Amino acid sequence: MTSRRDLANAVRALSMDAVQQANSGHPGAPMGMADIAEVLWNGVLSHNPANPQWANRDRFVLSNGHGSMLLYSLLHLTGYDLPIEELKNFRQLHSKTPGHPEYGYAPGVETTTGPLGQGIANAVGMALAERTLAAQFNSAEHAIVDHRTYVFLGDGCLMEGISHEACSLAGTLGLGKLTAVYDDNGISIDGQVQGWFTDNTPARFEAYGWHVVSGVDGHDSEALAAAFAAAKAETSKPTLICAKTTIGFGSPNKGGKESSHGAPLGADEIELTRKQLGWSHPPFHVPDDIYAAWNARETGATLESQWQVLFDAYKAANPSKAAEFERRVAGELPASWAADAQKYVDSVVAESESIASRKASLKALNGFGPLLPEFLGGSADLAGSNYTIWDESKEVLHNPSGNYINYGVREFAMVAISNGICLHGGFRPYSGTFLMFSEYARNALRMCALMKLPNIFVFTHDSIGVGEDGPTHQPVEQTATLRMIPNMSTWRPSDAVESAIAWKLAVERTNAPTCLIFSRQNLNHQERSAEQLGNVAKGGYILFEPDATPVSIIIATGSEVGIAIDAAKQLQSKGTAVRVVSMPSTDVFDAQGKAYKDAVLPLSIRARVAVEAGVSAGWGKYVGLDGDVLGLDTYGESGPANEVFEHFGFSAATLMERVTSCIKNCA
């Protein structure tokens, strides 16, 4: 009879064989956690390998993503479309089994992990999304949203600060369907962690408000099954299972040592390990009886079929809510979105209001929010400054069916949690903080872009216009570096109209994330023709055209557009014709066709000056070798915003001088 240890040994063998063949990887964690994974995947986890997108599946996250062969082995063995050839191609170019799990490659991979700690934060987001979606859609008779989130994590995840941010919030929110399993093997890359990690982890999580099951033998199937049962029984708190394991379990010479963490065991050691485990099969060979015992397709099909019966009954009783659920899970915008959203934009155009773009952002939330019940927003303790709470916001802490999350001062976790919400499905998350503090969240922003998630990030207080708070809070390089992130679209609007259009386009961008960057200070409304309004969506467009043929072009964004218009009008009065191009989104402009870009920035006009209250890097591609950039390649100063702007030369007078000089140099 096939034993549970035999099933776990299949994971160990596949993991060490794949790492050995790749001559690269991390065999230690998969071998150490194989018994835990076997118990979870063969007796606890609700999933269907034939349909990895089944809406009511349990979510599984491998936060310690370097142990990716654990996940790939589980997916292969349980019947996902991940053939043995893909395991043999572990870490090879264009395989479905990259070095760390990547969302969108192997079916069943719920999120991209590797940067330690972000997986647990993603899992918090998934658990929160499940609870909120359940509260919004379940009826007394039909619980169509009823699943759990499981996450494996190691010492490294717990040492990273994001784990504190995310797990603290999870405890506060009482996410009872979240279960984390701590692989307590006492080893990291540098050796035994007791030299740098002596936290009382159970006490730490109890202080967060978690239910803790401590002292579990990670190689005892019965103890593990009991721990998972205890986690399921606790409905008001998230659970941490502390499982003591041996890294590289089964390896006679490298088990329990850092040498098994991040390098192949070696052919000789693998042969010895096979003998110690009693696994007599050649590399990448799994006996039929082992495959049969692991295969979850029949069970998965039954689980989904049972849920489908439940959902069909729900649909018969609640046809409109069922249709809305299906729309939201599919990630589709409401059928009336295009027309209704345009009506709001038209109303902003008609208002011609001069306000701070952060306030224009709030107005956009109030305009678009009622159209999008899938909005699930939040702020890192700055809602009163970010203006991320709109009129119909309801805090999830006090209302499980709400639409607003008080993240607290947790920028990194906020973004990673919102990534998890996005990955779960059923919501369009947005989150806000000061632009300066995007630095705290940087790696989670990068992970969002890497996964091409349609998350929306609201960053306010966008420049030295922050004023008296000084250079610690005045972003200089942040906008430029956000523009550098592949797949990220970045908008810095010049007024309420551009702000409304930027929000609309962010919502409609369903295949990648968007950063919306807004000002603290008021921005003057800019008049536009119908053609100009249409061209805002192209990222860059001619906002002011002089009476005569232009001899120079000013390119501006955000608050500096007003300065550019003033300078161009004054230059025109002095007989110098200057075009002003507003470029709220460089990436969107770059994606336009050559004919359009050449019409906006013709090569024949060499005298170009870009102006932005931030670093000059990045503007050279638009102004060319003969052009100039009025930027800020230093840090700001503390003082009233208008005085700080004047101090650094962000004025119409200075811009006029730069344009005049550029024209002379290009003559």
Side-chain angles (χ1 to χ4, degrees), residues 383-435:
S385 295
N386 294 148
Y387 296 138
T388 48
I389 294 181
W390 54 289
D391 290 350
E392 295 179 26
S393 291
K394 301 178 184 66
E395 297 176 357
V396 297
L397 178 62
H398 305 295
N399 185 345
S401 66
N403 58 8
Y404 194 83
I405 306 162
N406 295 106
Y407 283 105
V409 188
R410 300 180 176 97
E411 294 89 354
F412 194 1
M414 173 181 71
V415 173
I417 289 170
S418 67
N419 288 345
I421 292 169
C422 214
L423 286 159
H424 178 277
F427 294 100
R428 282 300 299 278
Y430 68 89
S431 51
T433 187
F434 287 173
L435 176 58

Side-chain angles (χ1 to χ4, degrees), residues 102-120:
E102 292 188 39
Y103 177 69
Y105 281 68
V109 173
E110 299 283 3
T111 181
T112 299
T113 55
L116 295 177
Q118 287 199 61
I120 177 61

Side-chain angles (χ1 to χ4, degrees), residues 595-606:
Y596 178 78
K597 289 188 287 188
D598 287 348
V600 175
L601 298 175
L603 294 176
S604 58
I605 304 178
R606 293 162 49 217

Side-chain angles (χ1 to χ4, degrees), residues 157-210:
C157 291
L158 293 178
M159 283 187 265
E160 289 287 358
I162 188 175
S163 70
H164 162 72
E165 294 182 27
C167 295
S168 168
L169 184 60
T172 298
L173 294 174
L175 300 178
K177 288 186 177 179
L178 172 64
T179 299
V181 182
Y182 167 34
D183 179 28
D184 183 11
N185 61 35
I187 295 291
S188 66
I189 292 176
D190 284 352
Q192 295 185 2
V193 300
Q194 63 188 18
W196 46 87
F197 184 55
T198 58
D199 296 10
N200 184 334
T201 297
R204 170 185 165 187
F205 275 76
E206 287 171 354
Y208 291 152
W210 285 54

